[in-house]
Amino acid sequence: MTLNEINNLVKESGVASIGFLDKDGNPGIRRVFCTWHKGLGGHFISTNTSSMHTQALLKNNKACLYFDNCQAFRCVCFTGTATVHFDHEHKAMLWNEGDEQYYPNGVDDEDYCIIEFQADHGRYYSYDDIGDISTDELAEYDRETEFVNYAEK
């Protein structure tokens, strides 16, 4: 798969699986909405502050983010770090009409936060291909890109 094909997979996914280590060091994985991307390496996820994955990432920011298209058997797994944002600016950027059903106190609800995932490297799989994406390849591909909400595209 080319980097452009991988980028299309990420943009079209809408959801991803985030992997983390829980408080006991056991691996966990959760399905999350993920439509904001900065090329291949940067991703924003809106989620609950109280969720297990958020609490785990506050203690250990190592994570992985997995995008897939099961019908076409195309997948990519990025490994990197996660930063949890609680500031109004990040939360407002990802806020959508209807989110108040999950966060009744609005954009500044204490149980609403944003996870920013930054990939260090990746590995992709498809029915006829497998390979690695290096740190340098990610940096070059993402150079001069901005965060974009692909749910609005």
Side-chain angles (χ1 to χ4, degrees):
M1 290 172 47
T2 68
L3 294 180
N4 285 334
E5 290 172 324
I6 295 167
N7 192 42
N8 286 334
L9 167 68
V10 167
K11 291 188 308 190
E12 294 167 2
S13 292
V15 295
S17 297
I18 190 164
F20 58 94
L21 296 175
D22 72 12
K23 63 181 176 53
D24 298 320
N26 297 311
I29 195 160
R30 295 294 182 273
R31 201 73 162 156
V32 292
F33 290 107
C34 187
T35 60
W36 283 80
H37 310 289
K38 183 180 184 228
L40 291 173
H43 309 276
F44 280 138
I45 300 159
S46 62
T47 193
N48 294 82
T49 303
S50 60
S51 66
M52 183 198 305
H53 60 276
T54 302
Q55 293 304 305
L57 292 168
L58 286 168
K59 292 179 175 75
N60 180 346
N61 70 346
K62 298 292 186 193
C64 65
L65 200 58
Y66 185 85
F67 297 92
D68 63 75
N69 177 330
C70 293
Q71 289 74 31
F73 190 64
R74 292 179 176 266
C75 331
V76 63
C77 184
F78 296 110
T79 302
T81 56
T83 303
V84 182
H85 296 283
F86 300 100
D87 61 277
H88 180 84
E89 182 181 350
H90 279 94
K91 291 164 61 167
M93 185 171 66
L94 270 68
W95 186 262
N96 293 299
E97 185 176 325
D99 283 351
E100 57 278 351
Q101 68 182 323
Y102 307 107
Y103 310 107
N105 293 324
V107 71
D108 292 313
D109 194 302
E110 289 184 13
D111 197 35
Y112 174 54
C113 66
I114 305 301
I115 295 173
E116 180 177 358
F117 177 84
Q118 183 59 53
D120 294 329
H121 59 280
R123 185 155 180 85
Y124 61 87
Y125 311 84
S126 71
Y127 66 93
D128 65 348
D129 198 9
I130 188 170
D132 295 313
I133 307 167
S134 71
T135 302
D136 291 341
E137 288 174 303
L138 280 174
E140 179 60 28
Y141 191 85
D142 292 354
R143 193 167 41 94
E144 299 181 28
T145 60
E146 298 292 328
F147 274 102
V148 176
N149 181 2
Y150 286 96
E152 295 180 351
K153 296 265 174 200

